[in-house]
Amino acid sequence: METALRTSLPETELASRANFAPHARVVREERPVHTSGPPLSIRGLRKSFGDNEVLRGIDLHIPAGQFVAVVGKSGCGKSTLLRLIAGLERIDAGSISFGGEIQPEDIRVMFQEPRLLPWARVLANVEVGLGRDRASGDAHARAEKALAEVGLADKREQWPSVLSGGQKQRVALARALVSRPRVLAFDEPLGALDALTRISMQRLLERVWRDQGFTAILVTHDVAEAVALADRVLVIEEGRIAHDVVVNAARPRQRGSAELAGLEGSILSHLLSADDRT
Amino acid sequence: MSLIDSISLPRSVRLPRVDGLIQWIVPLAIIAIWQLASVTGFVPTRVLPAPSDVVLAGWKLLLSGELVRNIWVSFWRASIGFLIGGSIGFAFGLANGLSQLSAKLTDTTLQMVRNVPHLALIPLVILWFGIDESAKLFLVALGVFFPIYLNTLHGIRTVDPQLIEMGRIYGMTDGELFRRVIFPGALPSIFVGIRFALGIMWLTLIVAETIAASSGLGYMAMQAREFMLIDVVVLSILIYALLGKLADSASRVLERLTLAWHPAFQKR
């Protein structure tokens, strides 16, 4: 009965999906069942590299446990935004606050490159993700559990060099998940994978997000991926949030459905029209 | 079809053993041709003695204990000099790779010293140390220092910065970062340095022993020259070749053990 409701709702909204802006605040919350993620508030965030002002005032509130995708042309500042949230760069002006205290282990980043240590076996690579808990007695068990979550339990004793690109990225995901982070920042994590591996990785990401309920921020250049995974898609242009689009489609989402395709098309046309103006 | 089967199956079984022997085919063939040339008188024995004569000379020296003593002295000098020069080079490589200040302070000086051929220092070294052990150790250490220094430095500087960033994100302390990321990342390059250094180690030692020594393989060869014992001279040269090969094999074994993760060292 409940599932029926969940799947039927988007259909009724489909007609008005074309002009999505008015919809932005009528959000039907599509959250994980239990959320561990903190909310995230960004006020007046600015960042420059030399004379180049990359972010020109970002204001953003992300509710606890939301899956947000950030899209935009290359050089628009989307990766910088992610690196600032993850604490990898210093903030020039403005603020980023998580609701309450947050430990370094609570925020994890996954990059486009797996960044595995080639000289450590798969399991040891996952253990790296435990941060300060690496030395604790249950480190092995926790790493094995994370590895099982991404379906690579049988590769624990392998060297990273023998894994495929998708497998390496799954090990990197296990490493990011092993400390049970509350915020996960993805910097084009699937950008280097082939199309089929991408789709299975997207499903995996969606599954672990639903299971663990962290707040997720995904930077991607692939609008279809953003629409398939996120609750909300932010379009960044010239260092500002140009569009804030809510994706209401029920999960698990049907890839290539008319609804998602329509949304993808309208976001793409925004991105491209911005291109024409410049 | 059946032909392919019959060829490929035994080959895959036999290959490892053949691989171990295959590298010795050329040296053995050279010795065989050499023996033949000497026996037939094509090469006069006062130019080059037959391998059998060289082996005989080696046997005599072995019985008198002279050979073992000289090899041992040379081996001892080589290893101690290598350890001293290698550790200093490694320490400077680490320091200059990890600290900008240290690099600014010492790198220019070291690069200038590097460009002085260390064998050119022999006259000075003899004046300083005479012909006792410290002269040889100093020269070997100096020769070994630079390849290890340069390659350690290069190895540390070229560790993937993305991995270092990853280590920092995952809360590694400086010590952990060094142990888990920087040192293993620099290791392949350090091994290149070690293998270069081993070559320079023998070269320096032999030159030093030939010019100024009262024991060792180089000394044995020079003494033999004085007495026109050409078989002993050739014996010394062959022993250099074998010791060089031995040192190289030892570093390869070490490489295989520590770089098992590297695709180049994985069994296919």
Side-chain angles (χ1 to χ4, degrees):
Chain A
M1 157 69 198
E2 198 181 313
T3 49
L5 188 72
R6 284 163 79 100
T7 47
S8 65
L9 256 169
E11 304 297 322
T12 57
E13 290 172 6
L14 194 59
S16 54
R17 183 53 44 81
N19 52 342
F20 44 67
H23 262 271
R25 294 294 145 225
V26 205
V27 184
R28 187 173 48 80
E29 302 283 302
E30 182 68 53
R31 289 298 133 65
V33 199
H34 51 94
T35 171
S36 64
L40 184 66
S41 287
I42 298 176
R43 295 265 166 276
L45 187 66
R46 288 174 178 276
K47 177 72 186 174
S48 311
F49 294 101
D51 291 340
N52 182 19
E53 192 173 27
V54 182
L55 293 180
R56 306 174 182 188
I58 300 269
D59 288 288
L60 173 65
H61 178 78
I62 301 177
Q66 194 173 48
F67 199 132
V68 179
V70 182
V71 298
K73 288 179 295 179
S74 47
C76 72
K78 56 186 194 293
S79 282
T80 307
L81 175 63
L82 186 101
R83 292 179 67 87
L84 286 168
I85 292 172
L88 301 183
E89 306 275 354
R90 209 175 289 277
I91 296 171
D92 285 351
S95 69
I96 299 177
S97 63
F98 301 92
E101 272 296 293
I102 198 145
Q103 300 295 316
E105 283 85 5
D106 289 338
I107 308 180
R108 287 296 184 224
V109 192
M110 204 178 145
F111 297 97
Q112 179 166 359
E113 323 80 31
R115 301 199 186 183
L116 303 178
L117 298 174
W119 40 84
R121 309 242 177 208
V122 164
L123 191 70
N125 262 297
V126 177
E127 279 171 31
V128 165
L130 287 167
R132 286 174 297 189
D133 290 345
R134 264 188 294 274
S136 72
D138 61 343
H140 261 14
R142 288 172 71 184
E144 270 171 41
K145 189 159 166 278
L147 210 48
E149 261 163 39
V150 300
L152 285 179
D154 57 326
K155 301 280 185 209
R156 44 171 293 177
E157 287 305 319
Q158 300 279 9
W159 297 114
S161 59
V162 304
L163 302 182
S164 70
Q167 287 172 332
K168 283 180 193 164
Q169 215 42 316
R170 270 149 74 193
V171 175
L173 179 63
R175 181 180 63 191
L177 292 173
V178 71
S179 64
R180 297 278 147 180
R182 297 165 63 208
V183 180
L184 249 176
F186 301 99
D187 192 359
E188 310 215 10
L190 316 180
L193 303 179
D194 65 86
L196 286 176
T197 314
R198 272 180 94 113
I199 292 172
S200 71
M201 275 296 284
Q202 287 169 5
R203 291 196 174 135
L204 180 62
L205 286 186
E206 187 177 15
R207 203 194 72 218
V208 293
W209 169 72
R210 283 164 65 94
D211 286 351
Q212 303 196 8
F214 45 79
T215 305
I217 301 136
L218 166 76
V219 162
T220 178
H221 56 253
D222 181 351
V223 179
E225 181 173 290
V227 169
L229 284 174
D231 297 322
R232 181 180 175 194
V233 179
L234 303 175
V235 181
I236 296 204
E237 275 166 21
E238 292 166 6
R240 292 190 186 85
I241 296 176
H243 302 284
D244 187 341
V245 184
V246 170
V247 186
N248 276 334
R251 295 177 191 272
R253 288 183 181 156
Q254 196 64 45
R255 288 193 61 91
S257 73
E259 184 193 9
L260 292 181
L263 205 52
E264 180 190 341
S266 58
I267 293 173
L268 269 177
S269 67
H270 271 275
L271 281 168
L272 294 172
S273 69
D275 219 20
D276 294 340
R277 271 183 266 128
T278 50
Chain B
M1 158 78 198
S2 63
L3 185 70
I4 291 168
D5 280 349
S6 63
I7 291 171
S8 64
L9 193 72
R11 251 184 95 185
S12 60
V13 178
R14 221 166 48 198
L15 252 179
R17 214 174 60 212
V18 173
D19 262 358
L21 295 177
I22 221 162
Q23 53 184 334
W24 294 105
I25 290 179
V26 173
L28 288 175
I30 290 174
I31 290 175
I33 293 169
W34 172 14
Q35 177 75 33
L36 205 68
S38 295
V39 170
T40 56
F42 183 72
V43 176
T45 44
R46 63 188 160 76
V47 175
L48 195 63
S52 50
D53 293 342
V54 175
V55 171
L56 208 65
W59 181 245
K60 279 183 197 154
L61 287 172
L62 197 68
L63 287 183
S64 72
E66 209 178 324
L67 184 65
V68 175
R69 192 166 48 83
N70 282 322
I71 289 181
W72 172 249
V73 165
S74 290
F75 178 76
W76 182 84
R77 284 172 185 154
S79 357
I80 301 292
F82 183 87
L83 277 181
I84 294 173
S87 14
I88 299 174
F90 182 65
F92 269 103
L94 286 189
N96 291 1
L98 297 171
S99 149
Q100 286 290 331
L101 179 70
S102 170
K104 275 186 186 148
L105 210 59
T106 60
D107 192 56
T108 309
T109 315
L110 291 174
Q111 295 299 339
M112 283 197 296
V113 178
R114 183 171 77 92
N115 285 303
V116 177
H118 69 295
L119 293 177
L121 295 179
I122 287 180
L124 190 64
V125 168
I126 292 178
L127 287 177
W128 282 349
F129 300 105
I131 60 163
D132 70 357
E133 292 309 307
S134 35
K136 267 82 74 183
L137 295 186
F138 177 83
L139 283 170
V140 171
L142 190 66
V144 160
F145 173 87
F146 288 104
I148 295 203
Y149 165 68
L150 287 176
N151 285 287
T152 305
L153 181 64
H154 175 258
I156 286 180
R157 289 233 171 117
T158 51
V159 171
D160 187 351
Q162 292 187 334
L163 287 183
I164 294 177
E165 188 185 54
M166 184 281 294
R168 292 215 182 281
I169 294 171
Y170 283 104
M172 289 189 188
T173 59
D174 284 351
E176 259 183 310
L177 198 64
F178 177 75
R179 210 180 65 236
R180 284 174 171 257
V181 182
I182 297 172
F183 181 68
L187 207 52
S189 177
I190 293 173
F191 269 110
V192 173
I194 288 178
R195 290 179 70 182
F196 266 112
L198 286 173
I200 292 182
M201 172 185 87
W202 287 119
L203 174 83
T204 313
L205 185 68
I206 296 315
V207 172
E209 282 184 346
T210 318
I211 294 171
S214 53
S215 61
L217 278 172
Y219 170 77
M220 188 176 91
M222 282 315 278
Q223 285 295 102
R225 184 198 59 109
E226 300 250 323
F227 298 108
M228 295 294 279
L229 297 171
I230 195 163
D231 45 359
V232 177
V233 174
V234 173
L235 176 74
S236 313
I237 293 170
L238 289 182
I239 290 173
Y240 299 151
L242 281 176
L243 287 179
K245 170 71 187 166
L246 207 66
D248 195 59
S249 302
S251 72
R252 270 171 189 262
V253 168
L254 215 59
E255 225 172 16
R256 238 167 233 285
L257 287 178
T258 52
L259 300 183
W261 55 270
H262 202 284
F265 293 96
Q266 275 160 15
K267 293 192 185 93
R268 248 147 275 210

